[in-house]
Amino acid sequence: MKDVRTEHDFPAQKYKKNENAANGNANLKANYERMNGGANKYADNLNLGGNGLLPPSMVNDIAKETETIKIAVEPEREPEVNSALLPVEGAAEIDHSPERYPTSEFHQFWVVLKRTLLFSRRDWTLMYLRLFAHILVGFLIGTLYYDIGNDGAKVLSNLGFLFFNMLFLMYTSMTITILSFPLEMPVLLKENFNRWYSLRSYYLAITVSDIPFQTIFCVFYVSIVYYFTSQPLEWFRFAMFLGSCLLISFVAQSVGLVVGAAMNVQNGVFLAPVMSVPFLLFSGFFVSFDAIPIYLRWITYLSYIRYGFEGTALATYSYGREKLKCHQVYCHFKSPTTTLEELDMLDANFTLDIVALIIIFVVLRVAAFLFLRWKLKTTR
């Protein structure tokens, strides 16, 4: 090649330099073809009208062929868990947990029982005030009816004493339950909704927790009045008398649970005494069984006061008790048999009275549980 200005050939070094540049461009072109799979798509852009390749300084990577990259995207799937807080209507309920509650029902019962006993011990109304009332009223009744149990001239007063025992034990057990139990409903609703314990465990715990206290109160009261009123000092008669009084207090407490579970405090305090009036009228103290009209006698079989009063009367005057003392010229009820005949209790059976009270107690407890379960479902 010649220089146009001097019309002389270039020196050998220049030819060598151009030869090295040409070799570099050739290597660059070979690399592009190898990367692009031998494609000559951009071959025209690398030549200058077919006269040669571009200089090395002007060559860049614009000749690279772009490739389409495909990314696999997984299709959207439905979630495998139920994220709804409340069950959807019409959808099947799925419980992924093996158990509804984290602990066994016995453990729940034991924990709730200990908590209830602790609350009862700290509550002055449920514990100390009730104990004080039973002892105070016991001494008051013992003083009022002092030494009348063995006096043939005061049998009617002694029957009034027996009936007052039923009345006192009924109202003390029933009223305190009606006043205190509805106050625990908000706590029960929250803790049961959070699945801390089941309703069965809670109900069994409150049933068992109050039995010892109610038993102690009743034993204190009965021991005081039984001794001061000079009832027959025989152990089996005292056990019969105490058993009847205990069952009356337990049944009355069950009535309070039913009323407290079914309605609020205001309605319960009013309706509970009103509903107890028929049980008092058909107890056998105001009207004997034979004097009750036939179409109303069925109510006497529902009156738990009748079974309690009949049980205490049989414990006092039945089972071969000897004649009572008489300090007057004539005592019509000197013989215990005459008293039982006047009360229409000659054919009465103490065991039947106890069984009837136990059945009423169980039925009322079951009814209170059903009312509680219904209230929990409706409140939610």
Side-chain angles (χ1 to χ4, degrees):
M1 296 182 65
K2 294 181 179 182
D3 189 356
V4 294
R5 294 175 297 176
T6 61
E7 296 182 358
H8 295 289
D9 295 334
F10 287 104
Q13 293 180 354
K14 292 183 179 182
Y15 285 108
K16 188 176 180 180
K17 183 177 181 181
N18 292 337
E19 184 179 358
N20 291 336
N23 292 334
N25 291 338
N27 293 333
L28 180 62
K29 182 178 181 180
N31 290 335
Y32 275 112
E33 291 178 354
R34 185 173 58 254
M35 293 176 60
N36 298 329
N40 297 323
K41 182 176 180 180
Y42 299 99
D44 296 337
N45 295 331
L46 297 177
N47 296 326
L48 290 176
N51 295 326
L53 296 175
L54 292 173
S57 60
M58 298 179 62
V59 177
N60 52 28
D61 293 339
I62 61 174
K64 289 185 179 181
E65 181 181 1
T66 58
E67 296 182 0
T68 303
I69 301 176
K70 297 182 179 180
I71 302 176
V73 180
E74 296 183 359
E76 185 177 359
R77 296 182 299 178
E78 295 293 333
E80 297 180 357
V81 295
N82 186 12
S83 59
L85 295 178
L86 297 177
V88 181
E89 185 178 358
E93 295 184 359
I94 301 176
D95 189 4
H96 295 280
S97 60
E99 295 182 359
R100 180 176 176 83
Y101 300 97
T103 58
S104 63
E105 289 203 7
F106 177 78
H107 183 72
Q108 299 170 26
F109 160 75
W110 183 248
V111 173
V112 177
L113 177 62
K114 291 193 295 184
R115 186 185 70 172
T116 307
L117 291 175
L118 181 62
F119 286 172
S120 300
R121 185 171 62 86
R122 294 176 177 177
D123 195 332
W124 279 87
T125 304
L126 291 177
M127 174 63 90
Y128 305 103
L129 186 59
R130 289 169 65 187
L131 179 61
F132 177 74
H134 281 76
I135 294 176
L136 178 63
V137 175
F139 279 109
L140 180 62
I141 297 302
T143 304
L144 180 62
Y145 293 99
Y146 182 75
D147 200 21
I148 66 170
N150 200 30
D151 192 345
K154 299 179 180 179
V155 172
L156 296 180
S157 298
N158 195 41
L159 293 177
F161 156 73
L162 298 180
F163 181 78
F164 179 81
N165 288 334
M166 303 295 103
L167 196 64
F168 172 73
L169 294 174
M170 179 191 71
Y171 276 109
T172 52
S173 302
M174 180 175 60
T175 306
I176 193 66
T177 307
I178 295 174
L179 292 175
S180 61
F181 184 69
L183 301 179
E184 301 178 7
M185 287 299 300
V187 179
L188 173 61
L189 289 172
K190 181 184 68 175
E191 296 179 348
N192 181 261
F193 180 78
N194 293 332
R195 294 188 178 183
W196 288 10
Y197 48 76
S198 64
L199 181 59
R200 288 191 300 268
S201 302
Y202 170 80
Y203 189 72
L204 186 61
I206 64 173
T207 299
V208 174
S209 64
D210 203 58
I211 288 179
F213 300 114
Q214 189 63 41
T215 302
I216 293 173
F217 302 151
C218 190
V219 168
F220 271 103
Y221 172 78
V222 171
S223 300
I224 294 172
V225 298
Y226 195 88
Y227 176 77
F228 277 92
T229 56
S230 299
Q231 303 302 325
L233 298 178
E234 300 178 28
W235 283 109
F236 82 96
R237 294 184 184 276
F238 175 76
M240 294 169 61
F241 192 95
L242 178 61
S244 300
C245 294
L246 279 175
L247 287 176
I248 285 295
S249 62
F250 293 155
V251 172
Q253 188 183 42
S254 302
V255 174
L257 282 176
V258 173
V259 175
M263 57 190 68
N264 54 25
V265 178
Q266 292 80 5
N267 295 333
V269 171
F270 172 74
L271 290 179
V274 174
M275 292 187 299
S276 301
V277 171
F279 298 147
L280 298 175
L281 290 177
F282 293 91
S283 62
F285 175 75
F286 298 102
V287 182
S288 62
F289 185 77
D290 292 337
I292 300 176
I294 297 177
Y295 55 88
L296 292 178
R297 289 183 182 179
W298 61 274
I299 303 180
T300 60
Y301 298 104
L302 301 178
S303 174
Y304 62 94
I305 301 297
R306 172 220 169 173
Y307 296 111
F309 177 71
E310 189 173 277
T312 54
L314 291 177
T316 306
Y317 294 105
S318 186
Y319 296 96
R321 182 181 178 180
E322 61 183 10
K323 292 184 178 182
L324 280 67
K325 296 179 181 180
C326 182
H327 303 286
Q328 298 179 0
V329 178
Y330 174 74
C331 296
H332 181 71
F333 296 105
K334 182 178 181 179
S335 175
T337 306
T338 306
T339 304
L340 295 176
E341 183 179 1
E342 184 69 20
L343 295 174
D344 196 19
M345 295 182 183
L346 286 175
D347 298 330
N349 189 347
F350 179 79
T351 304
L352 183 62
D353 295 331
I354 297 299
V355 172
L357 287 174
I358 293 176
I359 293 175
I360 295 175
F361 170 77
V362 173
V363 171
L364 290 175
R365 288 286 173 167
V366 173
F369 176 80
L370 295 178
F371 272 114
L372 267 181
R373 190 171 66 177
W374 167 78
K375 200 164 189 177
L376 286 178
K377 291 183 179 179
T378 55
T379 304
R380 289 178 185 177

